[in-house]
Amino acid sequence: MTAKRADFPLLASSPGLHYLDSAATSQKPRAVLDAMMHYYTHDNANPHRGAYALSARATDRYHQARETIAAFVGVRDSACLIFTRGTTESLNLVATAWGRANVGRDDEIVITGLEHHANFVPWQQLANAVGAKLRICDVTADGRVDIDQFRTLVGPRTKVAAFNHVSNALGTINPVREMIAIAHAAGAIVVCDGAQAAPHLPLDIDALGADFYAFSGHKMLGPMGCGVLVGKRAVLEAMPPYQTGGDMIEYVADDRSTWNVLPHKFEAGTPNVADAVGLAAACDYLQQLGMADVRAHEQTLTALATERLLAIPEVAVYGPPPAERSGVVSFTVGQIHPHDLATILDELDVCIRAGHHCAQPLMRRLNLPATARASFYVYNSEADVDALVAGVQRAREVFG
Ligand code: PMP
């Protein structure tokens, strides 16, 4: 089933808008906005605290949201699903709380050249702070992780391997099962950045087996400000908390404290209930569409856009072939700067992204200053591909 554009108030009220920047953030269906409004108009109170029915209802809504999201992404032990502000916070949580407790001088951290800054800088900073070695796996010319090099980089000194499931800049779907097996065979823990996978692929996090898996709600039809970190229970229980304060404690003595059980140990302070409720509604919406259909729909549009763009002189598309990418087309048009291209497209109501896509190490490796990126999602159609192609042709006319 494909999503109806009419389900998305912003798109429904802007019939001429071609929104092709869902890899940055998605639009929100009415079901998500309604769920959040319903929470605030009927169930809002500070959860876990009040000795009254309304607070119990808020607690219950928060709990239900966690259960729904956990079921959607294949997490059976929902207490191991921690709410955060997003992928960035999830990855910083791991690099800081787990990293500071477990990574020391001369230990090694393996990442890849394909990472978003959110899965690059926290590891770089951890390595610098504790004197560990950061090893960065090469990227092939067609934008894949060099898996042979990855195999040689991961060794007995590797404490952690961190990599994305899907690249935001190119759309590359990484062979994460193989990468997880390689890292685990060496005794390393695995941190997987699923920000571009959870919205677009059928996902079973338990079956995948990464020790940590992170994603953001706002890229999968949910609200901004709510994301997820899934961790293995034994790893979460053994590591220290990230932030301290209300809700996350068991007992506070004058000189020390003990921690609450999972997931509360990692959720200090008043939780973001409404956004969790919104994200759960987004999962319900995607569940109804069926993630296999979501993937198939994006693949069709990505293949079509790639083919039609490549038929235009001077267009180059980066990354592996469309069947091995998510709904992302990263491209350049001759010498036209991607920012100029995006400006021309904007005049035609086509929204794309231009720049380094928070992946400067990748752009350096591909020797590209910037690319234009069109990204597709459930509400896009062939009409959006037509508008993109027409816009690129117009830009070529404008820039000669
Ligand atoms: N990793 C990847 C692969 C991403 O695409 C993004 C968002 N662009 C992030 C991490 C960071 O996500 P957020 O900004 O939602 O924290």
Side-chain angles (χ1 to χ4, degrees):
M1 205 203 304
T2 52
K4 290 192 279 310
R5 194 176 160 102
D7 289 350
F8 295 79
L10 186 146
L11 299 175
S13 64
S14 318
L17 187 74
H18 300 282
Y19 186 74
L20 295 176
D21 196 19
S22 295
T25 198
S26 64
Q27 298 303 336
K28 322 301 173 196
R30 182 169 297 288
V32 167
L33 306 176
D34 285 351
M36 292 167 67
M37 182 64 100
H38 187 277
Y39 169 76
Y40 275 127
T41 45
H42 293 89
D43 301 328
N44 178 55
N46 203 322
H48 304 143
R49 294 180 194 191
Y52 50 90
L54 184 60
S55 171
R57 212 152 67 229
T59 306
D60 189 50
R61 295 297 308 274
Y62 191 50
H63 175 73
Q64 280 307 321
R66 194 187 310 273
E67 297 284 316
T68 299
I69 298 161
F72 179 70
V73 294
V75 172
R76 274 109 205 129
D77 187 354
S78 65
C80 294
L81 186 147
I82 293 149
F83 284 119
T84 63
R85 281 196 304 122
T87 308
T88 302
E89 190 174 62
S90 298
L91 295 169
N92 274 278
L93 189 165
V94 180
T96 304
W98 182 89
R100 292 296 181 112
N102 290 282
V103 180
R105 175 159 292 282
D106 299 330
D107 284 338
E108 293 183 2
I109 299 166
V110 175
I111 60 172
T112 83
L114 205 58
E115 301 312 312
H116 186 283
H117 295 158
N119 199 33
F120 195 105
V121 186
W123 302 112
Q124 175 196 65
Q125 295 301 304
L126 172 67
N128 291 351
V130 303
K133 194 166 188 178
L134 185 68
R135 310 199 73 182
I136 306 167
C137 184
D138 280 343
V139 177
T140 61
D142 63 350
R144 301 168 207 258
V145 170
D146 182 339
I147 192 76
D148 293 330
Q149 197 202 36
F150 183 80
R151 205 174 275 111
T152 63
L153 283 182
V154 175
R157 301 199 88 94
T158 310
K159 278 288 172 87
V160 49
F163 43 82
N164 63 54
H165 192 162
V166 174
S167 153
N168 64 305
L170 303 177
T172 312
I173 301 174
N174 284 313
V176 284
R177 279 177 188 280
E178 194 180 349
M179 294 169 81
I180 291 168
I182 292 167
H184 280 168
I189 72 137
V190 171
V191 181
C192 194
D193 169 358
Q196 297 292 341
H200 304 288
L201 303 177
L203 188 60
D204 187 337
I205 292 179
D206 283 353
L208 216 49
D211 300 271
F212 292 102
Y213 196 97
F215 60 93
S216 298
H218 70 93
K219 293 182 196 283
M220 52 191 291
L221 311 182
M224 288 183 176
C226 181
V228 164
L229 175 68
V230 174
K232 283 191 176 161
R233 179 173 276 276
V235 183
L236 290 171
E237 284 181 340
M239 67 190 260
Y242 179 48
Q243 295 180 330
T244 52
D247 264 12
M248 57 73 65
I249 53 85
E250 179 193 52
Y251 180 73
V252 179
D254 280 358
D255 60 346
R256 70 198 156 76
S257 300
T258 56
W259 315 132
N260 200 344
V261 294
L262 297 174
H264 312 294
K265 173 180 166 185
F266 292 100
E267 293 183 1
T270 299
N272 182 0
V273 183
D275 288 343
V277 166
L279 178 52
C283 292
D284 283 339
Y285 186 91
L286 287 169
Q287 183 81 44
Q288 272 174 23
L289 294 180
M291 287 308 287
D293 285 1
V294 168
R295 166 76 183 132
H297 176 68
E298 287 177 27
Q299 228 180 331
T300 303
L301 293 180
T302 308
L304 181 67
T306 302
E307 186 190 323
R308 292 191 54 198
L309 286 173
L310 283 174
I312 301 171
E314 295 189 301
V315 169
V317 174
Y318 303 96
E324 296 166 57
R325 299 201 310 264
S326 67
V328 167
V329 185
S330 204
F331 65 101
T332 51
V333 185
Q335 296 305 309
I336 304 176
H337 195 282
H339 284 132
D340 293 334
L341 188 61
T343 304
I344 299 279
L345 284 162
D346 185 39
E347 284 167 9
L348 302 170
D349 258 357
V350 180
C351 312
I352 64 157
R353 192 82 157 183
H356 55 61
H357 315 296
C358 297
Q360 288 178 1
L362 172 65
M363 304 309 261
R364 268 199 307 280
R365 281 163 175 76
L366 296 179
N367 211 10
L368 286 166
T371 70
R373 182 188 71 185
S375 52
F376 298 96
Y377 207 14
V378 294
Y379 32 68
N380 291 119
S381 68
E382 274 191 47
D384 297 312
V385 177
D386 292 343
L388 172 68
V389 169
V392 169
Q393 278 160 341
R394 171 95 188 105
R396 289 192 76 245
E397 286 160 24
V398 171
F399 290 100

